[in-house]
Amino acid sequence: MVSRLVDVTPVVPADQLVAQMVPPTMFDDVSFDSYIPDPAQPSQAAAVKACREFAETVTARRAPKKGFFGRRPKVVQGTGIYLDGGFGVGKTHLLTSIYHDCPAPKAFGTFVELTHVVGALGFNRAVEELSGHSVLCIDEFELDDPGDTMLVSRLLAELTAAGVSVAATSNTLPEQLGEGRFAAKDFMREIRKMSGIFDSIRVDGPDYRHRNLPPAPEPMSDEALAADAAAVPGATLDDFDELCQHLATLHPSKYNRLVDGVNRVCLSGVKPLPDQSIALRLVVLADRLYDAGIPVRNSGMKLDAIFTDEMVAGGYRKKYLRATSRLLALSRFDTVGG
C-alpha cells in the first residue's frame, strides 16, 4: 500500500532545531572550485572571489587568540556578505561553499526556516544556541512583513555583536527589501539598520533551471498517477486538498522531517490555491522537496497553476515564482537528487 504524507506527524525536539540547520544534501559536494562562472557574466567570477575572501576572513577571526595577561580577547563583531541576483544563478552554490569553508559550529537555513526556528525556540534561546557559531548562512533572505523584519534585524544585531558573521542570498538589495509593501517608518528604519551589516555582491545570469527546459508537463490521469506511485518504492500519494489541510496542522519547521525518506511525491487533484496562508505553507514544502531533490508527479491542473495570478502579483511574488520554478524542476526529476 502506498504511503501518504497526511498520515505522518513528525516530531522534532527543540534541541535538534539548530542542529538540523545544514545545507540541502544536493549541495554536499559543492565548492568554490566547482562553481563555473559564465564568461559572459563577469559578476559571477567576482562573486566567487568575494565569497572566498569572506570565508577566509571568518576563519581567521575564529583562530585562537590570547589576550594580554591571560585576559579573554575582546569579541570582534561579525561581518556580513549579501549575494543579490535572480533565480538560479548559483547563489545557493556560493552560500553553501562559504558554509563548507568556515569552521564549526556553523548554521545554514532559509530565511523562512530561521524565522520558524526562532519561533519554535523563543528569541533568547535562539540567540543562545547560535551565538557561538562562526557563521550563519541565510538562503533566500526575504522580508514579507514588518514582524519578521524586526525579529531578524534584532537577531542579527545580537549575533553579529557576539562575533557571528552572516552570509545571505536574496533577490533584492538589502536597502530595497520591503520596498513598495509597507510604508511604516519603523519598518523602513529596521531595513536600513539591517542593510548596513552586509557588503552587497551582485550575481548576474539567466535561471539555469529554465535553460532549454520545456514548459510545465501535462498532468497525469488519476489512474496513471496511482500506478506510478505504486511502482516507486518510497513514493507517497496524497490528495492535494488533504495535504494542504495537513500542512496547516504542522509547524513549518517539521516539513523537513515530513518528507524524510520519501523518494517521490505524487499529488492528485492539483488546483489553484484559494488561500494565501495555505499557499505560503506550500512554498515551504516546495523548498524542502527541492532541497532533498524529491521528484514530484501530479494529476489535476499543471503545477504552474497552483499560485493564482493575483497571488503572484502581490507582495509574496518572489516566493511564489521560486516555488513554481522549483516544482517544475522537480517534475522533471526521475529519481531522488535528479
Side-chain angles (χ1 to χ4, degrees):
M1 183 176 178
V2 179
S3 300
R4 303 190 308 166
L5 293 177
V6 296
D7 295 327
V8 180
T9 304
V11 175
V12 183
D15 60 356
Q16 293 184 19
L17 288 174
V18 171
Q20 70 180 16
M21 292 182 68
V22 296
T25 55
M26 66 168 59
F27 292 101
D28 282 351
D29 298 323
V30 305
S31 65
F32 292 124
D33 290 337
S34 66
Y35 183 98
I36 309 301
D38 183 345
Q41 305 290 345
S43 65
Q44 293 186 5
V48 174
K49 181 175 183 293
C51 289
R52 280 186 188 274
E53 292 174 350
F54 175 81
E56 290 169 357
T57 298
V58 172
T59 300
R61 284 168 176 253
R62 300 294 289 192
K65 298 180 177 66
K66 294 183 178 179
F68 290 107
F69 306 111
R71 296 176 183 174
R72 297 181 64 180
K74 184 179 179 180
V75 174
V76 179
Q77 181 167 356
T79 187
I81 191 170
Y82 174 94
L83 303 178
D84 168 61
F87 299 113
V89 296
K91 302 189 305 296
T92 302
H93 184 134
L94 291 173
L95 186 67
T96 308
S97 299
I98 289 174
Y99 175 89
H100 288 326
D101 271 25
C102 290
K106 49 193 172 181
F108 182 108
T110 65
F111 179 85
V112 173
E113 285 179 299
L114 179 61
T115 59
H116 291 160
V117 167
V118 176
L121 289 178
F123 185 85
N124 291 335
R125 173 77 182 277
V127 171
E128 180 182 344
E129 292 284 343
L130 291 166
S131 61
H133 286 50
S134 69
V135 68
L136 171 62
C137 297
I138 309 172
D139 203 14
E140 298 296 347
F141 201 99
E142 299 174 356
L143 298 172
D144 295 306
D145 64 68
D148 281 350
T149 301
M150 295 179 185
L151 174 71
V152 175
S153 176
R154 184 178 162 215
L155 177 71
L156 296 188
E158 293 270 359
L159 293 179
T160 54
V164 182
S165 293
V166 179
T169 74
S170 189
N171 308 112
T172 311
L173 289 171
E175 62 271 16
Q176 296 172 337
L177 291 171
E179 191 172 289
R181 298 179 185 175
F182 306 99
K185 291 182 180 179
D186 288 345
F187 179 69
M188 294 308 296
R189 183 175 64 248
E190 293 295 333
I191 291 289
R192 295 191 187 99
K193 184 191 302 182
M194 192 180 303
S195 67
I197 294 175
F198 301 98
D199 287 330
S200 296
I201 306 296
R202 180 71 188 177
V203 188
D204 297 302
D207 185 340
Y208 74 90
R209 294 190 296 268
H210 289 164
R211 295 172 195 166
N212 303 315
L213 292 177
E218 291 295 328
M220 305 170 71
S221 68
D222 287 337
E223 295 75 17
L225 183 70
D228 184 80
V232 177
T236 59
L237 175 61
D238 288 89
D239 174 80
F240 187 65
D241 281 342
E242 290 183 1
L243 178 59
C244 289
Q245 292 172 12
H246 184 56
L247 293 179
T249 69
L250 302 175
H251 192 281
S253 63
K254 298 180 179 180
Y255 290 6
N256 191 40
R257 291 288 183 89
L258 179 67
V259 298
D260 188 30
V262 174
N263 291 323
R264 178 171 297 186
V265 167
C266 298
L267 303 172
S268 64
V270 166
K271 61 184 179 182
L273 292 170
D275 183 87
Q276 187 140 259
S277 64
I278 297 175
L280 291 173
R281 288 180 178 275
L282 196 68
V283 167
V284 179
L285 180 64
D287 286 341
R288 300 291 78 74
L289 293 173
Y290 187 76
D291 290 346
I294 300 173
V296 174
R297 300 290 184 268
N298 70 287
S299 66
M301 299 185 69
K302 292 183 179 180
L303 291 172
D304 59 3
I306 290 176
F307 306 108
T308 66
D309 291 341
E310 182 179 7
M311 289 177 180
V312 175
Y316 299 107
R317 173 181 175 81
K318 294 183 191 301
K319 286 180 181 287
Y320 296 140
L321 291 178
R322 183 185 77 238
T324 298
S325 177
R326 290 182 166 185
L327 288 172
L328 293 184
L330 294 174
S331 73
R332 302 180 184 105
F333 284 11
D334 291 324
T335 58
V336 172

